[in-house]
Amino acid sequence: MLIPTYNHGCVALVKGLAQQLEAAGDDYEIIVADDGSTDAATVAENQAINTLPHCRYIVRPENAGRAAIRNFLVREAQQPYVLFIDSDMTLISDDYIQRYLDCSCDTVIDGGVAIGGDPDLLKGNLRYRYEKAEEARHTAPERQKTPYQHLHTANLLVRRDLMLEHPFDERFRHYGYEDVLLGKTFRQHHIAIAHIDNPLGFCTFETNADFVSKTEEGLRTLGQFRDDLRGYSRLLTLVSNIHIPAVKSVIRLWHRLFGRLERRHLCGSRPSILIFKLYRLGYFICSCA
């Protein structure tokens, strides 16, 4: 199991995974790679991982980026299969490992993510509201309809030799889309992907301001690699289908006039998903397209 992390404690996650792996009886390893975290307390907390059997916590001195840290983990691994897990995921089932062991696909398996958290406490959280609004699109049957476009590394089992042959593109240093391009690569090489119902929980949500900033970073990544990602992003498809220049001009004008107000609203306590989508479209067309 390969877990990249940055300023996030994941000892509990590693302990839970190790417990299920021990019960399964197979040989295993869990490697956590810290990608240049700046929070000394979190790094110190994660050192406990090194005291667990079959587990390693590797601290990297500098931030290499989302793609490079995952490629590093693959090179460090010794087992024939690697399971990528994001460090902010949560174990929500006792048979998580067994479900992967029982799956017949032997190349790439995406287990998916389930949105957790208390709805009453999170009703004003933009990330939570957005993920819940999109939840129906990310069930296993829906993901399997377009399997390569729905590949995500938050919970992904892959044969190690495939990852060595087709590594993440290390041009992707900032937030977003390195896993989407990997899905495209697998499609180009006719590598089968199975989407199954074996989710990890996504239960930790950043503040609205942090999520808006992360969204903007992801949009800049999308704009930078739009030629590589064409056909693998709904937003790119939407923008490319706007064939009337005047429509884009109106969107640009709207964003220039109201973008700051929209952003302020999204960072507030009652953010609207509709305004979030309008803001994303305007930001992308003004800054990235």
Side-chain angles (χ1 to χ4, degrees):
M1 290 189 182
L2 308 181
I3 305 175
T5 190
Y6 179 77
N7 287 340
H8 198 280
C10 51
V11 177
L13 173 63
V14 172
K15 285 182 176 179
L17 292 168
Q19 183 177 8
Q20 289 197 21
L21 287 161
E22 288 286 348
D26 287 348
D27 191 19
Y28 71 91
E29 60 182 352
I30 301 176
I31 309 173
V32 180
D34 189 301
D35 196 19
S37 286
T38 57
D39 186 341
T42 299
V43 173
E45 174 191 335
N46 282 337
Q47 291 289 351
I49 293 168
N50 284 320
T51 68
L52 304 174
H54 310 288
C55 298
R56 282 194 288 157
Y57 176 57
I58 304 171
V59 180
R60 305 268 287 176
E62 296 181 356
N63 185 275
R66 295 168 61 85
I69 193 65
R70 287 170 170 82
N71 288 339
F72 167 78
L73 280 163
V74 172
R75 293 192 298 270
E76 287 290 313
Q78 300 297 317
Q79 297 295 327
Y81 285 85
V82 296
L83 177 54
F84 291 104
I85 296 176
D86 284 355
S87 63
D88 57 354
M89 293 291 103
T90 303
L91 271 174
I92 57 175
S93 62
D94 294 332
D95 60 347
Y96 171 72
I97 295 299
Q98 193 59 50
R99 288 191 196 184
Y100 273 129
L101 294 175
D102 292 342
C103 189
S104 59
C105 179
D106 66 350
T107 53
V108 183
I109 311 172
D110 190 317
V113 171
I115 309 304
D118 187 327
D120 292 330
L121 294 177
L122 292 166
K123 60 185 178 182
N125 184 276
L126 178 59
R127 179 69 181 271
Y128 173 78
R129 296 188 66 183
Y130 176 72
E131 297 293 350
K132 290 298 289 186
E134 294 289 306
E135 197 170 29
R137 294 186 56 253
H138 298 299
T139 64
E142 286 298 313
R143 287 184 278 123
Q144 196 62 55
K145 292 177 182 178
T146 52
Y148 298 98
Q149 285 86 344
H150 275 96
L151 183 143
H152 297 289
T153 51
N155 180 16
L156 184 72
L157 182 67
V158 191
R159 273 194 354 231
R160 179 173 179 263
D161 64 304
L162 290 179
M163 290 308 308
L164 290 171
E165 187 176 353
H166 308 291
F168 289 97
D169 189 329
E170 296 192 8
R171 294 177 299 161
F172 286 73
R173 288 186 54 85
H174 301 291
Y175 177 75
Y177 296 98
E178 77 284 345
D179 45 5
V180 177
L181 188 60
L182 181 65
K184 179 180 178 179
T185 300
F186 285 160
R187 182 176 188 174
Q188 290 172 333
H189 291 87
H190 309 289
I191 297 169
I193 298 177
H195 287 270
I196 67 172
D197 182 23
N198 189 26
L200 289 168
F202 182 31
C203 308
T204 304
F205 305 92
E206 60 270 82
T207 66
N208 292 350
D210 286 344
F211 180 53
V212 172
S213 295
K214 183 182 287 188
T215 298
E216 292 167 344
E217 183 180 0
L219 291 172
R220 293 192 295 271
T221 299
L222 179 61
Q224 180 182 356
F225 297 103
R226 57 185 174 272
D227 291 338
D228 300 282
L229 296 168
R230 205 169 302 281
Y232 287 77
S233 160
R234 287 189 299 159
L235 183 59
L236 272 182
T237 300
L238 173 62
V239 173
S240 65
N241 285 334
I242 301 176
H243 300 298
I244 303 173
V247 174
K248 287 186 179 179
S249 296
V250 169
I251 294 172
R252 288 191 186 96
L253 178 61
W254 176 274
H255 189 75
R256 287 167 184 159
L257 291 174
F258 302 109
R260 289 184 181 181
L261 290 175
E262 289 176 336
R263 196 183 197 282
R264 189 181 308 162
H265 165 81
L266 295 172
C267 293
S269 60
R270 300 180 65 183
S272 161
I273 297 303
L274 175 59
I275 291 178
F276 178 62
K277 292 179 178 180
L278 290 173
Y279 182 78
R280 288 175 69 237
L281 177 61
Y283 185 94
F284 184 77
I285 288 179
C286 283
S287 306
C288 312

